[in-house]
Amino acid sequence: MRERLVAEATRIVAAQGWAGATVAAVAAAAEISTGAVYQHFPNKGALAAEVFRRATQRELEVLGTVLSASEPVSSADRLAQGVGLFAQRAILGRQLAYALIAEPADPLVVTERLNYRRRYHEVFAAVILDGVRAGEMVPQNAAVTAAALTGGVAEVLIGQLSGPVDGPAARSLVAELTALALRCVGVPVTQFAPSALDSVRPTSADGAHSAESSLEAACPSS
């Protein structure tokens, strides 16, 4: 039943945000009494924190698989694919992504969110460090760049996810975030044509300027 409660709560958050995932709503979706929920979770915050941990763990696993892959060999390729995939998944799961990244939530979720951001710093820092060691990226403090990259991508997506993003605008947003991530780590995008960009090359300028201003502020061009 615990697994079902987490699954139902996740579905509600993905549709309505944290505000909709009340204990009563989750209990109704799981077809049990409200009181029965407390046999598995001491309070709403504990349930919300578990939903957050499960959802973000999945996202980290997907990103980690891309960033640690042996192919493509280039660290820049892996970073481009990772950022592009993260953005695509956020756009496809817009409400859930906003809930995970920025929506006001229970203090237990806020604590988990800080841990989640640190874990993103770690996976980005690892691939940046690989790139620096291989001479593919300019010398830099990988931890600082990873933190700026994580925050910059999140800030761009927060603004863009306030309304539906699809079609050319979505492709443009993903491509801009991918290119800006490469510039952030010192890879000249004009000299770089990763396969990760092939399927997300912009067909529209929608959203490009807001993305560029935010990430460039966080990660100045070298």
Side-chain angles (χ1 to χ4, degrees), residues 7-21 51 92-99 103:
E8 295 296 347
T10 301
R11 278 192 280 272
I12 293 172
V13 173
Q16 304 174 37
W18 294 114
V51 168
L92 290 172
R94 182 172 63 87
Q95 180 64 64
L96 181 59
Y98 181 73
E103 185 180 355

Side-chain angles (χ1 to χ4, degrees), residues 36-121:
V37 174
Y38 295 107
Q39 296 176 12
H40 304 277
F41 296 95
N43 50 53
K44 177 186 175 183
L47 173 57
E50 184 65 16
V51 168
F52 186 94
R53 280 192 293 270
R54 299 281 186 94
T56 54
Q57 179 61 34
R58 173 57 181 160
E59 294 304 313
L60 280 163
E61 287 172 354
V62 171
L63 180 62
T65 298
V66 173
L67 294 182
S68 63
S70 58
E71 293 291 342
V73 176
S74 164
S75 297
D77 269 305
R78 286 185 279 134
L79 180 64
Q81 289 191 356
V83 171
L85 180 61
F86 178 84
Q88 289 174 19
R89 289 173 66 85
I91 290 168
L92 290 172
R94 182 172 63 87
Q95 180 64 64
L96 181 59
Y98 181 73
L100 297 178
I101 295 171
E103 185 180 355
D106 186 274
L108 290 177
V109 171
V110 174
T111 298
E112 291 295 331
R113 188 176 282 154
L114 293 175
N115 293 331
Y116 158 75
R117 290 174 73 92
R118 281 193 291 269
R119 293 171 70 191
Y120 265 96
H121 297 173

Side-chain angles (χ1 to χ4, degrees), residues 116-137:
Y116 158 75
R117 290 174 73 92
R118 281 193 291 269
R119 293 171 70 191
Y120 265 96
H121 297 173
E122 292 169 0
V123 295
F124 279 133
V127 73
I128 293 169
L129 187 58
D130 285 347
V132 172
R133 287 172 173 168
E136 300 167 5
M137 301 175 186

